[in-house]
Amino acid sequence: MDELIAKEIATQSGVDPDDRLEDLKAFDDTKAGVKGLIDAGITSLPKIFIRPADELVEELNLGRSQARVPVIDLSGIESDDQHKRIVSELRRASEEWGFFQVVNHGIPESVLDGMIDGICKFHEQDTELKKEYYSRDQLRKVRYESNIDLYRSRAANWRDSLTINLLACNEVEPDELPPVCRSTAIDYVYHVTELGGTLFDLLSEALGMKMDNLRAMECARGRTFVCHYYPACPEPDLTLGVNKHTDPAFLTILLQDQIGGLQFFHDNQWTDVSPIPGGLVVNIADLLQIVSNDKFKSVEHRVLANRIGPRMSVACFFIGVAVPEKIYGPVKELISDKNPSLYREFTVREYINNFFSRSIDKSGLDHFKI
Ligand code: OGA
Ligand code: NI
């Protein structure tokens, strides 16, 4: 199936389909990812990474925004005044921006730095050890791969990722985590899970619902941690760290190092999400846009490739529970005659199938719109 899609995409882009498929497979078979290409000393971009000509032209015509993503200070959350301020800032940011950063979120900097350090160690360890984790099997709890949509995208992205999937079970099984990042990942998972719970409570309030409403829908339970490594790139203008996409989850909490490159689409322009020391990026993802019936916005974002690197980031996707029969749709409380439902109801199975049958730069919302 993947092969057919890869060939079809190559044909549409005017590339020889057999050549492209062979190149993709050869790259995949190295199990060494983009980092492996750099280690091998390449100085120009392999064809599979080069963005299609129409995209490169379109890029030249796009403006760059100077807008600054909202920064929300979570300190003093226990006091009524501050709590009110925080909920109102979160509401505004989620409605108008879809992206914000949080500071004074309670996670010690040592835990954040430790996580980045552990991810660096994972990606930079001996390739033979790392290869044991290389897999495209979505059911594997801990796996490493380059480009989750390698065979479905028009151009491959300049990044490798380690995925730690905590969907089916609530706890991390220490033995399953790679030894080089085991203890730092356990600390980070614990803290981000706590922060996620707090944010869902605040977001419920911001939607005008009871505080535990989103938690009761189990939004905060299933989490997938995707730990990205974006190597330095010899020709950054020809490719991307990750193509534009929205996240297939309720909410994403992202830890990034200080290099930068993350952008989101705001007012028809790409806007930088500049790193703040100790800050975390939060974005509304597709499922929260759906359950909020478009009150909150899931916004397109991407990462530029960079001559400087590696850049590292860790996305925690709050995905909800992976029960195939579970049904999602706009929350009834938010629907009225004036505010009719914009999405039909659908099962988790349907949602997951939709994600794995498209390239990540295609909308995850359209399929469910009424
Ligand atoms: C993602 C993502 C951004 C980054 O993993 O979905 O958008 O900065 N990551 O790595
Ligand atoms: Ni994303």
Side-chain angles (χ1 to χ4, degrees):
M1 189 62 190
D2 268 353
E3 298 195 358
L4 281 179
I5 295 173
K7 284 186 168 191
E8 193 182 313
I9 292 170
T11 308
Q12 284 163 7
S13 310
V15 175
D16 182 316
D18 292 318
D19 274 4
R20 178 163 169 87
L21 187 58
E22 205 174 294
D23 290 354
L24 289 173
K25 277 188 171 161
F27 169 67
D28 211 11
D29 287 347
T30 66
K31 302 186 176 187
V34 175
K35 167 90 169 51
L37 298 174
I38 292 294
D39 291 345
I42 61 146
T43 51
S44 64
L45 216 56
K47 274 201 304 278
I48 54 168
F49 294 94
I50 299 179
R51 298 176 69 192
D54 56 317
E55 277 187 27
L56 292 170
V57 169
E58 190 186 357
E59 192 72 38
L60 297 175
N61 298 324
L62 280 173
R64 286 283 285 278
S65 154
Q66 296 304 313
R68 297 208 36 205
V69 56
V71 177
I72 302 179
D73 183 349
L74 296 184
S75 56
I77 198 161
E78 304 80 17
S79 87
D80 280 354
D81 279 1
Q82 293 300 317
H83 187 97
K84 259 196 208 135
R85 168 190 62 82
I86 292 167
V87 169
S88 121
E89 288 181 14
L90 276 176
R91 179 187 304 115
R92 202 154 158 215
S94 306
E95 287 178 0
E96 294 174 19
W97 295 76
F99 255 82
F100 49 90
Q101 306 210 51
V102 291
V103 294
N104 297 319
H105 42 61
I107 306 185
E109 274 197 56
S110 58
V111 172
L112 306 181
D113 295 347
M115 184 67 186
I116 293 284
D117 186 51
I119 292 322
C120 184
K121 289 200 173 100
F122 174 83
H123 286 281
E124 294 186 355
Q125 71 187 312
D126 187 282
T127 314
E128 290 309 312
L129 289 176
K130 197 167 59 168
K131 273 183 185 171
E132 287 174 25
Y133 293 91
Y134 198 86
S135 170
R136 295 197 175 278
D137 177 359
Q138 308 303 330
L139 296 176
R140 248 179 93 162
K141 272 200 254 171
V142 177
R143 65 173 201 276
Y144 137 74
E145 76 205 313
S146 187
N147 284 262
I148 191 169
D149 63 344
L150 184 66
Y151 296 96
R152 286 174 274 133
S153 62
R154 294 177 79 198
N157 291 152
W158 199 253
R159 76 167 178 185
D160 302 328
S161 310
L162 165 70
T163 297
I164 301 169
N165 186 331
L166 303 180
L167 289 180
C169 64
N170 245 336
E171 299 299 324
V172 203
E173 310 262 352
D175 289 353
E176 291 183 58
L177 294 172
V180 284
C181 56
R182 186 174 293 161
S183 67
T184 50
I186 291 172
D187 281 352
Y188 186 73
V189 166
Y190 168 77
H191 283 281
V192 170
T193 302
E194 292 287 299
L195 177 61
T198 305
L199 287 173
F200 276 112
D201 289 349
L202 294 165
L203 289 166
S204 280
E205 261 189 284
L207 282 169
M209 306 194 296
K210 280 217 302 287
M211 191 163 164
D212 62 355
N213 223 330
L214 290 173
R215 263 207 235 218
M217 287 168 59
E218 300 183 292
C219 299
R221 260 190 64 200
R223 288 138 296 146
T224 299
F225 288 79
V226 190
C227 313
H228 303 299
Y229 184 91
Y230 300 85
C233 180
E235 294 182 286
D237 296 337
L238 297 181
T239 189
L240 283 171
V242 62
N243 292 332
K244 70 168 185 199
H245 66 280
T246 57
D247 293 342
F250 285 95
L251 192 74
T252 307
I253 299 181
L254 181 99
L255 165 66
Q256 60 171 337
D257 66 16
Q258 297 302 304
I259 292 202
L262 173 62
Q263 301 184 317
F264 71 115
F265 206 60
H266 180 75
D267 275 348
N268 272 321
Q269 289 180 320
W270 287 111
T271 305
D272 292 327
V273 184
S274 303
I276 304 177
L280 289 166
V281 180
V282 181
N283 65 280
I284 305 298
D286 289 352
L287 282 167
L288 194 48
Q289 172 161 344
I290 292 174
V291 299
S292 76
N293 205 33
D294 275 4
K295 213 161 160 16
F296 287 174
K297 299 287 183 297
S298 171
V299 172
E300 280 186 328
H301 52 283
R302 66 179 189 179
V303 175
L304 300 178
N306 195 335
R307 247 175 231 292
I308 299 165
R311 169 182 186 265
M312 273 151 296
S313 66
V314 179
C316 171
F317 300 112
F318 289 86
I319 298 195
V321 287
V323 175
E325 293 77 30
K326 194 174 166 81
I327 289 176
Y328 287 125
V331 176
K332 300 275 181 300
E333 275 177 80
L334 302 176
I335 304 297
S336 63
D337 288 346
K338 263 203 195 141
N339 253 323
S341 188
L342 300 170
Y343 300 91
R344 63 180 174 84
E345 292 191 323
F346 52 87
T347 59
V348 167
R349 178 188 291 111
E350 208 185 334
Y351 187 75
I352 293 174
N353 288 344
N354 180 253
F355 176 70
F356 285 114
S357 60
R358 62 184 167 90
S359 110
I360 61 166
D361 66 348
K362 295 284 176 294
S363 164
L365 295 171
D366 288 351
H367 189 67
F368 305 107
K369 280 217 170 102
I370 288 179

